[in-house]
Amino acid sequence: MEAKGKKDQSVAAALLARAHTPDEANRIFTEKIQHRPLFLTPSSPPPSDARAARQREREKKKQQRKKALKPKPLSAAQRRKLGLYDVPREGQKYALFEPLHNLWLGYIREILGGEIYTGGEGAAAKLTSADYHGAGVEVVRSGCVSRVGIKGIVVKDSKFAFDIVTKKNTLKLVPKEGTVFRFEVPAVDARGGSRAPGAEDAKGAAAATPEQHETDRPQNMVFEIHGDQFQFRSADRANKKFRVHFSKKL
């Protein structure tokens, strides 16, 4: 060991002698090289708490294993291929969707509130963001003449079309482009369970003549939707703000 140390010192001294004078080389060797410790630091020190590190590693492997076992959601193409959006032929019956239509009437009356009798911009903003699954609809104008007059219940409100079940138990796919749809919301429940605000009481209504009774009956709310400006999914319409502008096709 001593021989090896002397050999290292001689090599260091020889290198310093090449660059400095003998006195300067001896001074540098004595002050900066001889008896100076060399501290070595490991590149990756062990964690202070090995137990916590092992626990974190186990949790990480557990999450990775759980993520690998979790099935991936189906893509839109896979859902269409499986027919998840299709209405089966035995389910294309108007009577099956009448309860859904009654639910939609209660839903739209609750959204509109008192504006069902007055209309206006407030009612228009609510109608644009509403959901139309179960709504009663009629095609009043279309680029294809054969579609005019189709009337039924909306069973699917997609981005570019309405799927409508008619009273003849047939499913009609009506594109929104170039089509005007008409919706009607009765102001009074068809079953007679609710009365319009401001209507006469039972005694006064019984005493009224048929002409007066027909005049005082609240009118149904009828509105039309231009499909060209309605090509959005129902979920997207809920958060979208529509701007008032004039259409060139009107």
Side-chain angles (χ1 to χ4, degrees):
M1 293 294 295
E2 293 180 359
K4 186 177 180 180
K6 290 180 179 179
K7 184 179 179 180
D8 294 340
Q9 292 180 4
S10 63
V11 172
L15 292 175
L16 289 172
R18 293 180 182 182
H20 303 281
T21 61
D23 296 338
E24 185 70 16
N26 291 332
R27 185 186 64 80
I28 294 175
F29 180 78
T30 304
E31 293 180 359
K32 298 186 178 182
I33 299 177
Q34 194 176 20
H35 306 304
R36 292 294 298 272
L38 179 61
F39 298 100
L40 299 177
T41 303
S43 58
S44 56
S48 57
D49 192 349
R51 181 178 180 182
R54 290 194 300 269
Q55 186 175 1
R56 287 194 298 269
E57 188 66 22
R58 285 195 300 269
E59 289 294 334
K60 183 178 179 181
K61 291 182 179 179
K62 184 178 178 181
Q63 292 295 334
Q64 291 176 352
R65 187 165 55 253
K66 186 184 296 185
K67 186 176 181 180
L69 295 175
K70 184 178 180 181
K72 295 182 180 180
L74 296 175
S75 63
Q78 291 173 332
R79 290 194 293 267
R80 286 194 297 268
K81 187 176 180 180
L82 293 173
L84 299 181
Y85 296 138
D86 300 336
V87 180
R89 185 172 296 274
E90 59 273 11
Q92 299 175 8
K93 296 181 180 179
Y94 187 85
L96 291 177
F97 295 96
E98 284 183 328
L100 178 63
H101 176 59
N102 294 330
L103 288 175
W104 183 83
L105 289 177
Y107 155 76
I108 203 67
R109 289 192 192 103
E110 183 178 355
I111 287 179
L112 293 173
E115 291 176 334
I116 193 172
Y117 307 104
T118 59
E121 294 184 2
K126 294 176 181 178
L127 291 172
T128 53
S129 61
D131 191 302
Y132 286 87
H133 289 91
V137 63
E138 180 182 1
V139 178
V140 295
R141 195 185 311 168
S142 176
C144 181
V145 181
S146 61
R147 298 192 186 112
V148 177
I150 294 177
K151 188 175 182 180
I153 298 175
V154 177
V155 297
K156 187 171 72 172
D157 177 9
S158 59
K159 184 175 182 180
F160 298 109
F162 280 127
D163 284 15
I164 303 172
V165 170
T166 65
K167 290 187 177 181
K168 295 181 179 180
N169 297 329
T170 56
L171 183 65
K172 299 289 185 179
L173 177 64
V174 183
K176 294 180 180 179
E177 184 179 4
T179 308
V180 178
F181 302 91
R182 177 176 295 170
F183 298 85
E184 183 174 356
V185 182
V188 180
D189 195 341
R191 293 167 296 183
S194 61
R195 298 291 304 278
E200 296 178 358
D201 56 10
K203 183 177 179 179
T209 61
E211 293 79 4
Q212 290 175 340
H213 184 73
E214 186 68 24
T215 304
D216 294 340
R217 178 189 299 177
Q219 299 296 323
N220 297 343
M221 182 179 188
V222 180
F223 60 94
E224 294 181 352
I225 288 178
H226 295 263
D228 291 324
Q229 304 176 12
F230 214 66
Q231 296 183 8
F232 303 95
R233 296 185 306 164
S234 57
D236 297 336
R237 290 198 308 267
N239 299 322
K240 182 176 178 59
K241 293 184 179 180
F242 290 85
R243 296 181 179 178
V244 179
H245 62 279
F246 294 97
S247 177
K248 295 180 180 180
K249 295 185 180 181
L250 296 180

